[in-house]
Amino acid sequence: MPAETPRATGDSHEVRGEGGSGDGRGLRRVARVVLLDPGDRILLLHGHEPDDPADDWWFTPGGGVEGDETREQAALRELAEETGITEVELGPVLWRRTCSFPFAGRRWDQDEWYYLARTTRTATGATALTELERRSVTGARWWTCPELARAHETVYPTRLAELLRTLLDEGPPAGPVTLDTEIV
């Protein structure tokens, strides 16, 4: 999984910014986007281990916080870089998750916040991928909730189909829900 979007998180970038990547600096601060289109489909990126395309997974757009930017700013920047989509309404933080996973020869330890966002634009095109992302992210796809629930592919976070169904049925939670820690 790419450095910024490691497997358990679904992040797909070379590390930019602070973070826990196995180097003793603590948890890497990450902002992710649960992007929904007018038909309530969710956008996921397809990534793989740089040297092993068969070791693949799907994940939400997002990545590490850079410098003094806020998580909201990071979410919007990452979404634009990874998908080309800038016309969004960024909503509340839905979920928070701590995860740890190996990717590109390193261990990534992350504190991830998942923001709800909506868009009417469904065409995607990465605009600013790092070299590592170019080697490890192979595209994007809009998924319906039933498609996600039936998927046999690896998806992060692992309960995304269930989480999306709850979101669509009940709306955003009153406050961020803390998801189980995922260690891969």
Side-chain angles (χ1 to χ4, degrees), residues 82-103:
E82 294 175 347
T83 71
I85 296 175
T86 57
E87 305 86 22
V88 299
E89 279 183 46
L90 192 63
V93 176
L94 301 171
W95 317 307
R96 292 186 60 185
R97 174 179 83 141
T98 301
C99 59
S100 179
F101 53 88
F103 174 73

Side-chain angles (χ1 to χ4, degrees), residues 94-98 112 159 163 173 175-181:
L94 301 171
W95 317 307
R96 292 186 60 185
R97 174 179 83 141
T98 301
E112 299 181 334
R159 293 179 41 231
L163 294 164
V177 173
T178 301
L179 306 180
D180 292 339
T181 297

Side-chain angles (χ1 to χ4, degrees), residues 74-154:
L76 293 172
R77 175 185 49 76
E78 288 287 341
L79 184 64
E81 291 173 357
E82 294 175 347
T83 71
I85 296 175
T86 57
E87 305 86 22
V88 299
E89 279 183 46
L90 192 63
V93 176
L94 301 171
W95 317 307
R96 292 186 60 185
R97 174 179 83 141
T98 301
C99 59
S100 179
F101 53 88
F103 174 73
R106 299 176 69 179
R107 170 133 315 257
W108 300 89
D109 300 310
Q110 299 191 156
D111 173 27
E112 299 181 334
W113 291 17
Y114 290 77
Y115 288 87
L116 175 61
R118 291 213 172 250
T119 186
T120 57
R121 179 177 163 196
T122 57
T124 63
T127 62
L129 297 181
T130 66
E131 183 274 331
L132 180 58
E133 288 173 320
R134 286 190 298 277
R135 293 186 315 149
S136 60
V137 178
T138 57
R141 176 182 164 197
W142 292 96
W143 296 72
T144 66
C145 195
E147 287 171 337
L148 197 55
R150 291 189 307 266
H152 295 291
E153 293 93 344
T154 301

Side-chain angles (χ1 to χ4, degrees), residues 64-77:
V65 174
E66 293 182 3
D68 61 356
E69 73 183 348
T70 66
R71 287 206 200 228
E72 293 88 352
Q73 291 167 331
L76 293 172
R77 175 185 49 76

